């Protein structure tokens, strides 16, 4: 017995150590990855001990007027969808744990009833040696899959952050637009009141009055439409941030920020996008995993199930003890199937990598170009169109003072200025949306391409993965 | 050569006035034609003698065209050219067309019987001619482009020559593309004095009436305008740009009007006097047939001369009686606000337009005086702050200033009313004495 024990113990020790997988393996790296790429702190509800602190942080953020970064941070702490996506890591971690475990020993017992003799007893205990030998290889595969999962989940977090930013800008734009439609309503209201006074004094006809009133009543519709659109955008944010109850009373910073003076830097933008792409990192890890899987399959094919153990038999003469060795003879099946599958998978991942790299490069090029255009458009409103509208109002005021035009025309000029302001808000919102898209691609997550082509996410991930859009 | 003159009745004072007028000719408001150094005229020369027998015409805000005498012929040179920066009144300057740098062109003055030779140089961007409105002359000198002569092309100089057979008040103006050229200011007076004046006047004024459309804030008159003219002028000036007609109490005054407006006749009304219309385009009206009037209608294409004795001192308004012709750049856009209740309305609109103010609900008195920001280069409803109050008129409006004892014809300022002759607010005593009940 003692000789048997002497080599079992080290093996068991190896097995115990090998089974050590940290309970939060991958979580820390995920958090630092998301912090680096999305500038936000993602937390797992199930791994963190201090749930109260997370809730307090969310409450603090909600207490002040929100900007896009605050909204993103709230989502990282409060979105149940993100928590669901984090489960991917848990699953991969469990797979790593499983890959780190040695096989269970097999034990057989036999009883034989022999006529006129003592009952025979037999015990056999074997352990899979090949499983133990190849445990590092198996772990390597699971490790690579865990890394892949980490990149994938980081991508999902980034996708959520992007969606929150875009929804936030759209909400701000919608609120600003609603305010401007209310100003237009003031203008039509003032015109209508003047018309009412004129009509009261007998200076204009019923037809003139009715025409003025039409403008005013139509403006009311536009206010109602704009207000409900803003409310819908607000609810979209509530969904993304996981807010309900009293928490939905938050305020946002009222104005979209002005566009920056300079265009975004273009130098080596494609290289940066490729270097940063989390999807490509994930594909790399999957490639590594496939390569390791191929190696494992080859190794297991050449040395399939090698078992060793001990057998004990009690017969008439006494106990018989002896080692037992067994193996599967790789006569017909040397694992060619599994190796081939793993290799094919490797090749598939290589091609996916190439395809995705092409998409990333194209997306960053076109998004950059769109951003330059959007910035110029917004600046053009700021520098040219809005000052022109102001000049029209001022000159119309002078012509009004000179009694060359009437008050209706003056109010209409002001109204046209406000409507240009509405166009500016739309252009500004458009700019920030495209800016968020470029930032997102350079942070490592592809956003939907302008033509609506599917990206890798669409094909390989489920539709309920809210990222990638 | 002195001949028998017909003095106006009561001429003792007038004779003295004439003497004074003669000696004060050197101080006359407008430049006199220079006297060229002339050779002795040939025997058949028909020119005026250097010593005039007539009061030279005064063209308020204008001038007379200089001439030289060449072998007995009065030679003039008209240059048809753009007149940039013509000022209608302070604050309104326009790109006009005219003659010799002016609109109206300088008044051509000559004497009955003179042979005149007028060179016309065209510096306009398009062809032109000059028609001598009312003058009897050979058909080929009539100046109608295409009909009586070929166009004077840009850069060319034409020669017109004819004899002025009859005295009177005439005009000159283009006869090619008149719609454009006249609307931009090309016109001028042509006065032919009597060789032997049957009636002497002490002050003789020439005024050309015109109408223009200058979009408020713009600088160029629009010659295509047919109905809505917004600048009305006497000698291309709108009040308060019109120079006053200054005369001494008791002087006999003649005013000659010509109307080359595009579309409107002008009934010119003189306050404080009645006058006689003494001449039309066709010549003198016999005295027994002269119409007494306070308003003389000068239709488009007509000239009229009026005469009166300026025996009532004061500042007498003289203006076209069309109410819209005595407003500067009046606008007709926008709603009529007279009588509209505006309480609260200003505040409501000012939330959108801080500089807004409702106007016109109490009528339009004093609009030009409100100091509101108006487009540059415009004088909407502009008038003049005068001695008693703001004169809120403009356009075809001027003032005849009659003063005792003036020797200079420069603007003598506002009239000082002798006591008891000024309308003022009635006192309570006066009201009660006269039994006037003022409803509260």
């Amino acid at each position: 017995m003692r000789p048997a024990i002497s080599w079992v113990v080290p093996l068991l020790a190896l097995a115990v150590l090998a089974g050590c997988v940290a309970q939060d393996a991958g979580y820390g790296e995920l958090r630092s990855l998301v912090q680096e790429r999305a500038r936000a702190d993602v937390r797992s509800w199930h791994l963190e001990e201090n749930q109260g602190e997370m809730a307090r942080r969310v409450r603090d953020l909600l207490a002040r007027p929100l900007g896009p970064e605050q909204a993103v941070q709230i989502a990282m702490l409060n979105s149940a969808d993100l928590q669901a996506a984090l489960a991917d890591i848990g699953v991969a971690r469990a797979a790593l744990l499983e890959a780190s475990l040695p096989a269970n020993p097999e034990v057989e017992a036999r009883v034989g009833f022999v006529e006129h003799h003592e009952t025979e007893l037999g015990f056999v205990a074997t352990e899979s040696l090949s499983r133990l030998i190849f445990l590092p290889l198996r772990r390597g595969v699971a490790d690579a899959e865990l890394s892949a999962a980490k990149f994938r989940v980081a991508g999902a977090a980034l996708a959520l952050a992007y969606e929150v930013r875009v929804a936030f800008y759209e909400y701000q734009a919608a609120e600003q637009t609603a305010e401007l439609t209310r100003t237009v309503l003031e203008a039509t209201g003032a015109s209508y009141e003047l018309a009412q006074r004129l009509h009261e004094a007998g200076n204009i006809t019923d037809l003139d009055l009715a025409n003025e009133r039409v403008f005013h009543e139509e403006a009311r519709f536009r206010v109602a439409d704009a207000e409900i659109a803003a409310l819908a955008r607000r609810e979209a944010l509530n969904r993304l941030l996981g807010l309900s109850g009293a928490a939905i009373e938050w305020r946002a910073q009222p104005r979209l920020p002005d566009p920056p003076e300079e265009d975004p830097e273009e130098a080596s933008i494609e290289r940066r996008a490729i270097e940063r792409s989390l999807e490509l990192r994930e594909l790399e890890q999957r490639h590594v995993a496939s390569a390791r899987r191929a190696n494992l399959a080859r190794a297991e094919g050449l040395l399939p199930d090698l078992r060793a153990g001990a057998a004990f038999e009690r017969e008439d003469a006494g106990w018989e003890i002896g080692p037992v060795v067994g193996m599967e003879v790789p006569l017909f099946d040397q694992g060619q199937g599994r190796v081939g599958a793993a290799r094919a998978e490797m090749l598939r991942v290589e091609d996916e990598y190439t395809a995705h790299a092409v998409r990333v490069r194209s997306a960053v090029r076109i998004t950059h170009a769109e951003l330059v255009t959007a910035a110029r458009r917004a600046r053009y409103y700021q520098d040219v169109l809005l000052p022109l509208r102001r000049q029209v109002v001022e000159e119309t005021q002078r012509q009004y003072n000179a009694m060359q035009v009437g008050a209706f025309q003056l109010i209409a000029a002001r109204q046209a200025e406000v409507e240009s302001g509405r166009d500016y808000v739309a252009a500004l919102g458009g700019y920030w949306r495209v800016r968020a898209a470029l930032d997102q691609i350079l942070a490592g997550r592809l956003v939907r391409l302008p033509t609506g082509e599917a990206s890798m996410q669409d094909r390989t991930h489920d539709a309920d993965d809210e990222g990638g859009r | 050569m002195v001949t028998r003159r017909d003095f106006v009745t009561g001429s003792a004072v007038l004779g003295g006035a004439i003497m004074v007028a003669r000696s004060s000719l050197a101080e006359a408001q407008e430049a006199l034609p220079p006297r060229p150094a002339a050779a002795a005229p040939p025997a058949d020369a028909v020119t005026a003698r250097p010593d005039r027998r007539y009061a030279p015409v005064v063209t308020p805000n204008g001038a007379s065209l200089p001439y030289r005498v060449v072998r007995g012929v009065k030679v003039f040179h008209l240059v048809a050219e753009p007149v940039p920066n013509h000022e209608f009144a302070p604050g309104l300057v326009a790109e006009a067309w005219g003659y010799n740098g002016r609109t109206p062109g300088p008044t051509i003055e000559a004497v009955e019987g003179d042979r005149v030779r007028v060179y016309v140089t065209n510096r306009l961007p398009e062809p032109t001619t000059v028609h001598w409105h009312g003058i009897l002359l050979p058909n080929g000198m009539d100046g109608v482009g295409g009909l009586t002569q070929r166009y004077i092309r840009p850069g060319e100089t034409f020669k017109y020559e004819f004899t002025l057979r009859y005295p009177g008040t005439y005009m000159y103006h283009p006869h090619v593309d008149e719609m454009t050229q006249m609307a931009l200011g090309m016109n001028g007076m042509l006065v032919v004095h009597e060789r032997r004046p049957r009636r002497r006047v002490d002050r003789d004024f020439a005024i050309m009436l015109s109408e223009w459309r200058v979009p408020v804030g713009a600088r160029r008159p629009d010659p295509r305008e047919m109905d809505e003219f917004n600048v009305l002028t006497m000698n291309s000036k709108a009040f308060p740009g019109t120079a006053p007609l200054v005369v001494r109490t008791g002087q006999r005054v003649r005013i000659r009007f010509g109307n080359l407006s595009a579309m409107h006749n002008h009934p010119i009304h003189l306050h404080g006097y009645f006058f006689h219309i003494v001449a039309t385009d066709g010549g003198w009206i016999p005295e027994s047939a002269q119409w007494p009037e306070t308003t003389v209608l000068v239709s488009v294409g007509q000239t009229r001369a009026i005469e009166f004795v300026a025996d009532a001192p004061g500042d007498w308004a003289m203006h076209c009686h069309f109410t819209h012709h005595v407003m500067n750049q009046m606008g007709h856009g926008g709603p009529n606000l007279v009588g509209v209740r505006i309480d609260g309305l200003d505040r409501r609109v000012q939330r959108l337009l801080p500089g807004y103010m409702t106007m016109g609900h109490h009528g339009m008195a004093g609009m030009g005086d409100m100091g509101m920001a108006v487009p540059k280069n415009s004088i909407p409803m502009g008038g003049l702050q005068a001695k008693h109050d703001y004169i809120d008129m403009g356009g075809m409006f001027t003032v005849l200033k009659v003063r005792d004892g003036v020797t200079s014809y420069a603007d003598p300022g506002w009239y000082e009313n002798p006591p008891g002759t000024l309308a003022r607010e009635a006192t309570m005593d006066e009201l009660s004495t006269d039994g006037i009940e003022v409803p509260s």
Side-chain angles (χ1 to χ4, degrees):
Chain A
M1 284 256 199
R2 210 160 280 120
I5 288 172
S6 66
W7 50 260
V8 164
V9 166
L11 269 174
L12 285 175
L14 176 63
V16 165
L17 285 171
C20 268
V21 172
Q23 208 183 4
D24 61 352
Y27 177 55
E29 291 161 52
L30 171 74
R31 282 190 56 221
S32 51
L33 198 53
V34 172
Q35 180 69 51
E36 185 212 331
R37 301 301 184 91
R39 301 180 303 280
D41 183 21
V42 67
R43 299 278 179 160
S44 162
W45 292 351
H46 310 296
L47 291 176
E48 290 289 333
E49 286 170 8
N50 198 343
Q51 307 281 320
E53 200 219 311
M54 281 165 41
R56 196 180 43 75
R57 270 179 80 190
V58 169
R59 267 201 311 277
D60 283 347
L61 286 165
L62 288 172
R64 273 182 277 286
L66 297 182
E69 297 308 314
Q70 289 81 10
V72 167
Q73 182 58 65
I74 293 173
M76 295 292 112
L77 298 174
N78 210 47
S79 164
D81 283 322
L82 181 59
Q83 297 300 319
L86 290 178
D88 239 22
I89 289 199
V91 168
R93 188 186 306 126
L96 177 60
L97 178 64
E98 187 183 326
S100 309
L101 299 173
N104 292 325
E106 277 182 26
V107 171
E108 230 180 75
R110 185 175 62 80
V111 178
F113 298 101
V114 181
E115 240 185 340
H116 311 308
H117 286 276
E118 290 253 359
T119 310
E120 287 180 352
L121 288 174
F123 298 98
V124 181
T126 54
E127 171 65 42
S128 169
L129 281 186
S130 52
R131 173 89 177 233
L132 214 53
I133 289 167
F134 296 137
L135 191 142
L137 285 182
R138 193 170 293 112
R139 243 184 97 98
V141 171
D143 203 49
E145 290 286 12
L146 176 62
S147 292
K150 181 184 69 191
F151 286 119
R152 188 165 56 251
V153 171
L158 248 64
L160 177 63
Y162 170 69
E163 233 187 302
V164 168
R165 282 201 187 92
V166 167
F168 189 82
Y169 293 137
E170 290 185 337
Y171 171 67
Q172 275 185 313
E175 282 287 14
Q176 270 184 266
T177 301
E179 191 191 315
L180 291 171
T181 50
R182 284 192 286 271
T183 307
V184 167
L185 187 66
E186 268 202 56
T188 55
S191 279
Y192 180 50
E193 182 163 2
L194 174 60
Q196 283 175 302
R197 305 283 185 96
L198 280 162
H199 187 257
E200 192 184 295
N203 293 20
I204 63 170
T205 66
D206 293 347
L207 175 60
D208 293 331
L209 181 65
N211 276 330
E212 243 356 275
R213 186 168 177 188
V214 164
F215 293 131
H216 185 53
E217 301 300 343
E218 282 181 343
R220 281 197 214 280
F221 277 123
R222 282 192 273 278
V223 169
D225 288 346
E227 287 180 343
I228 196 67
L231 200 61
R233 299 282 189 205
R234 199 184 162 86
E235 278 306 328
L237 266 174
N238 283 335
R239 287 195 295 279
L240 287 168
L241 269 51
L243 300 173
S244 291
I248 66 171
E249 301 295 327
W250 51 269
R251 301 245 130 269
Q253 287 158 9
R255 295 253 172 281
L256 281 166
D258 283 339
E261 288 303 318
E262 287 101 38
D263 288 338
E265 203 202 296
E266 195 178 356
S268 57
I269 202 170
E270 288 179 46
R271 184 178 54 74
R272 282 191 283 145
I274 294 286
E275 277 174 6
R276 301 274 282 179
S277 170
L278 293 171
E279 296 110 356
L280 292 179
R281 300 291 89 68
E282 183 197 339
L283 283 166
E284 281 166 3
Q285 292 303 313
R286 280 177 52 202
H287 191 259
V288 165
S290 296
R292 290 180 182 171
R293 203 175 279 119
N295 283 344
L296 178 66
R298 174 126 243 41
E300 283 182 336
L302 293 178
L303 187 63
D305 199 21
L306 173 69
R307 309 189 66 85
F312 307 88
E313 286 209 23
R314 193 191 71 173
E315 290 176 342
D316 260 358
W319 280 98
E320 190 189 311
I321 300 168
V324 172
V325 168
M327 67 178 267
E328 203 184 296
V329 181
L331 197 57
F332 305 113
D333 180 1
Q334 286 119 36
Q336 298 95 313
R338 277 166 289 135
V339 171
R343 288 224 175 103
E345 183 66 29
M346 269 173 63
L347 291 175
R348 192 228 319 269
V349 170
E350 281 172 25
D351 292 341
E352 281 186 7
Y353 187 98
T354 305
H356 195 70
V358 167
R359 264 197 298 276
V360 164
R361 291 177 69 168
S362 168
V364 79
R365 281 196 301 268
I366 185 61
T367 307
H368 180 268
E370 285 182 336
L371 187 61
V372 168
T373 301
R376 286 191 187 150
R377 220 160 148 252
R379 280 200 293 270
Y380 188 72
Y381 272 100
Q382 228 188 0
D383 298 337
V384 176
L385 262 166
L386 291 182
L388 263 179
R389 283 286 182 202
R390 177 91 307 243
Q391 190 186 11
V392 166
V393 170
E394 286 171 358
E395 284 299 326
T396 307
Q397 175 80 67
R398 290 199 182 96
Q399 294 281 342
Y400 167 80
N401 292 346
M403 299 193 89
Q404 304 298 310
V405 303
F408 294 117
Q409 201 162 327
L410 178 57
I411 294 171
R414 178 82 179 101
Q415 192 174 321
E417 185 187 32
V418 172
E419 278 160 8
S420 274
R422 224 167 36 193
D423 294 341
Y424 172 57
V425 168
L428 203 51
Y431 167 77
W432 285 107
R433 273 200 305 280
V434 179
R435 170 70 180 267
L438 184 65
D439 287 347
Q440 180 76 341
I441 297 174
L442 291 174
R445 174 83 173 183
L446 190 61
V447 295
R448 179 189 284 287
L449 299 170
T451 59
E453 291 160 33
S455 63
M456 184 190 82
Q457 286 82 336
D458 299 332
R459 292 206 199 92
T460 60
H461 294 261
D462 286 341
D464 61 14
D465 173 6
E466 277 195 309
R469 296 318 172 247
Chain B
M1 187 171 133
V2 177
T3 58
R4 211 176 50 125
R5 293 201 184 94
D6 295 327
F7 281 88
V8 175
T9 313
S11 63
V13 169
L14 206 55
I18 287 171
M19 299 305 293
V20 174
R22 273 247 209 127
S23 66
S24 69
L25 286 177
E27 299 162 34
Q29 188 170 338
E30 298 306 320
L32 305 174
R35 288 180 214 208
D44 61 341
V46 199
T47 63
R49 290 159 59 93
D51 55 322
R52 285 179 194 77
R53 301 288 175 239
Y54 56 83
V57 152
V58 171
T59 310
N61 298 108
S64 289
L65 186 60
Y67 62 90
R68 55 164 47 87
V69 178
V70 177
R71 298 164 56 79
V73 174
K74 274 190 182 156
V75 176
F76 297 87
H77 186 196
L78 276 179
V79 180
E81 59 184 358
V83 179
N85 304 320
H86 168 74
E87 187 186 87
F88 287 111
L92 179 57
V93 166
E95 303 269 345
W97 285 4
Y99 299 93
N100 300 41
R102 298 179 165 277
T103 168
T107 301
I108 297 179
E109 258 191 290
V111 179
E112 178 189 0
D114 279 350
R115 184 150 185 90
V116 298
R117 186 178 301 144
V118 187
Y119 288 90
V120 176
T121 300
N122 182 6
R123 294 181 62 214
L124 298 171
E126 66 166 357
T128 191
T129 59
V130 180
H131 167 62
W132 315 98
H133 186 111
I135 305 284
L136 307 183
L137 35 61
N139 184 246
M141 294 295 172
D142 197 37
V144 180
L147 181 65
T148 65
Q149 65 165 87
R150 74 162 176 85
Y151 295 171
I152 310 174
R153 296 202 165 80
E156 291 180 338
T157 300
F158 267 42
K159 181 173 79 107
Y160 295 85
E161 188 167 332
F162 42 87
T163 301
L164 297 169
R165 291 162 57 188
Y166 295 101
T169 308
Y170 308 99
M171 304 183 282
Y172 65 90
H173 62 82
H175 228 287
V176 175
D177 193 11
E178 292 107 278
M179 184 191 86
T180 301
Q181 298 186 12
M182 286 168 64
L184 289 171
M186 298 190 72
N187 50 42
M189 299 295 282
L190 201 166
V191 171
V192 182
H193 295 281
E194 297 163 288
R195 179 160 297 279
R196 280 184 286 280
R198 67 188 108 141
R199 73 188 333 131
R200 278 293 309 226
V201 291
D202 306 303
R203 296 284 276 156
D204 195 344
F205 296 97
I207 295 179
M208 172 66 79
L209 307 173
S210 310
E211 60 188 1
W212 321 62
R213 168 147 179 86
V214 182
V216 172
R219 263 182 27 248
R220 195 176 295 274
D222 186 353
R224 302 160 308 159
E225 184 58 53
M226 212 169 108
D227 301 302
E228 300 232 351
F229 298 92
N230 64 355
V231 180
L232 286 303
T233 59
M234 292 176 162
N235 289 339
S236 298
K237 291 289 199 181
F239 184 80
T242 50
L245 280 56
V246 182
V247 306
R248 196 173 61 249
T249 312
Q251 284 185 314
R252 183 168 192 83
V253 179
R254 176 188 297 145
I255 308 181
R256 310 167 189 255
F257 296 102
N259 182 7
L260 285 178
S261 300
M263 300 291 293
H264 290 102
N265 310 328
H266 299 294
I268 304 294
H269 175 59
L270 173 63
H271 293 220
Y273 293 90
F274 71 88
F275 46 77
H276 285 86
I277 304 178
V278 301
T280 66
D281 309 62
W284 296 113
I285 301 173
E287 206 170 324
S288 59
Q290 288 174 1
W291 276 29
E293 266 284 9
T294 63
T295 303
V296 54
L297 178 64
V298 189
S299 300
V300 178
Q302 288 184 340
T303 67
R304 292 284 182 268
I306 64 170
E307 287 179 14
F308 59 97
V309 175
D311 54 9
D315 290 337
W316 299 108
M318 184 167 77
H319 60 90
C320 174
H321 220 286
F322 282 10
T323 57
H324 285 247
H325 286 187
V326 288
M327 298 217 74
N328 281 326
Q329 290 190 309
M330 177 63 200
H332 303 96
N336 171 21
L337 278 159
V338 173
V340 172
R341 185 176 60 87
I342 66 154
D343 50 282
L345 194 62
D346 275 16
R347 254 194 326 280
R348 183 166 181 177
V349 177
Q350 278 160 5
R351 284 207 294 268
L352 298 156
L353 295 152
Y356 172 84
M357 211 171 77
T358 307
M359 296 186 293
H361 48 292
H362 293 143
M364 299 200 217
M367 288 308 307
D369 197 24
M370 287 177 82
M372 299 173 81
V374 292
K376 61 182 193 294
N377 194 46
S378 70
I379 50 170
M381 295 156 296
L384 183 69
Q385 182 63 39
K387 180 180 172 206
H388 302 283
D389 227 322
Y390 186 79
I391 303 175
D392 68 351
M393 287 187 283
M396 204 172 279
F397 180 102
T398 189
V399 183
L400 174 77
K401 296 194 176 184
V402 184
R403 300 283 187 276
D404 296 333
V406 289
T407 52
S408 154
Y409 295 104
D411 189 344
W414 301 113
Y415 179 63
E416 294 294 333
N417 308 86
T421 68
L422 176 60
R424 50 150 180 77
E425 191 170 5
T427 64
M428 296 301 293
D429 277 348
E430 290 165 337
L431 289 171
S432 63
T433 306
D434 287 337
I436 302 296
E437 281 190 28
V438 177
S440 55

